[in-house]
Each structure stands twice: as structure tokens, then as C-alpha cells.
Amino acid sequence: MPKNQNPSLKDPEMYEALRDDGASAQKAARISNAAAKEGRSTIGRRGGKSKDYEDWTVSQLKDKAKEIGLKGYSRQRKNELIQSLRNS
């Protein structure tokens, strides 16, 4: 295991690929660990049930930010909220 490798990562290769694609460290770890536990094809079938964030109202975006525990979202504009939610 490389010196900087986090031992809690179950699929370091997928984690690095997600990070290279721009995912946050937390999001990449969450996805790669879920894929290692349940299988990549199972994880790939998830999602797609919600409208795009661009279709949400600012109020809905702020509610989602609060729900997932983001900080500093109350003064963000819609585009900033969307970026924060996607990178969380």
C-alpha cells in the first residue's frame, strides 16, 4: 500500500479515477467503498431518479444543502449552491 494511501478505501483504483474526474475526496471514497462492497454494476444502477439541480428552486437547493450538512450555503447563489452540492 502506498505511503499516502488511506487504509479505509476499499477500491483505491476507483477512488483515484473519481478524484481525477473531479469528485471530492469524500464523494469518491463513498462511491468507491460502496462499489467494493456491493459490486460496481449495482452502484451503477443507482441514481437518476431526481431532476437536475438546474431545475430545482433555490429554496429546494438550500434545503438539500442543509440536509446533507453543508456549511455557508445560505448566502450562495443558485450556481454556487449547485456546485457545492455536486462537490459534496
Side-chain angles (χ1 to χ4, degrees):
M1 180 177 299
K3 199 175 205 177
N4 295 342
Q5 189 68 39
N6 183 339
S8 66
L9 292 175
K10 307 301 183 229
D11 190 341
E13 188 175 304
M14 179 182 239
Y15 172 83
E16 290 301 329
L18 290 165
R19 291 290 287 149
D20 290 343
D21 286 342
S24 69
Q26 182 181 20
K27 183 176 183 177
R30 186 173 57 242
I31 293 169
S32 65
N33 287 346
K37 180 180 179 184
E38 301 173 34
R40 288 183 181 196
S41 61
T42 301
I43 301 304
R45 286 190 292 265
R46 289 186 185 167
K49 297 178 180 110
S50 180
K51 295 188 291 183
D52 290 332
Y53 283 143
E54 285 79 12
D55 296 333
W56 291 28
T57 65
V58 172
S59 178
Q60 291 171 318
L61 293 168
K62 286 182 177 182
D63 288 345
K64 181 66 173 180
K66 182 178 182 180
E67 177 185 322
I68 63 174
L70 291 181
K71 303 284 186 208
Y73 63 85
S74 63
R75 293 187 181 192
Q76 291 182 343
R77 295 178 180 206
K78 185 171 183 175
N79 288 337
E80 296 168 323
L81 279 166
I82 291 169
Q83 185 177 11
S84 295
L85 288 166
R86 286 189 174 144
N87 292 324
S88 64

